[in-house]
Amino acid sequence: MILLAVQDTYGTVLAQVGNPTPEAPPGSEKILQLVRYLTWFVLLSGICGITYAGGKFAWERWTGGGLESPKMVAGAMIGGVVATSAGTIMNAVIGT
């Protein structure tokens, strides 16, 4: 709640102004649909990345090669955590 001080001829009067409720602008449904598609693509790419890195890890263990894939698995998992928690982080920052 915001208090505004208004000066009139008799003295100071305080007026209360409530917090406005957010309203989506016209045409915002298309943007929200695009965001949902991008979220789906990010989750799908994370699953594919973890699956690929897991297969590569198994192949490296089977053939006795160098182990580079654990870094790929960790990177894909960290990226997935950041991508899926982005909405929660933004809600905490904005305060809604």
Side-chain angles (χ1 to χ4, degrees):
M1 182 141 335
I2 300 171
L3 292 176
L4 298 175
V6 179
Q7 181 70 36
D8 62 0
T9 57
Y10 300 110
T12 303
V13 177
L14 294 177
Q16 294 181 351
V17 178
N19 291 335
T21 57
E23 182 178 336
S28 64
E29 184 58 37
K30 296 288 184 184
I31 295 172
L32 292 174
Q33 184 177 13
L34 178 65
V35 169
R36 286 191 292 268
Y37 287 163
L38 290 174
T39 302
W40 179 84
F41 181 73
V42 165
L43 293 174
L44 179 66
S45 63
I47 291 169
C48 290
I50 290 174
T51 303
Y52 173 76
K56 187 173 180 184
F57 180 67
W59 180 257
E60 288 173 355
R61 294 289 289 176
W62 181 267
T63 60
L67 294 178
E68 298 176 8
S69 56
K71 291 183 236 174
M72 291 173 61
V73 171
M77 292 176 77
I78 291 171
V81 167
V82 169
T84 56
S85 64
T88 306
I89 292 170
M90 287 306 295
N91 283 337
V93 169
I94 293 173
T96 57

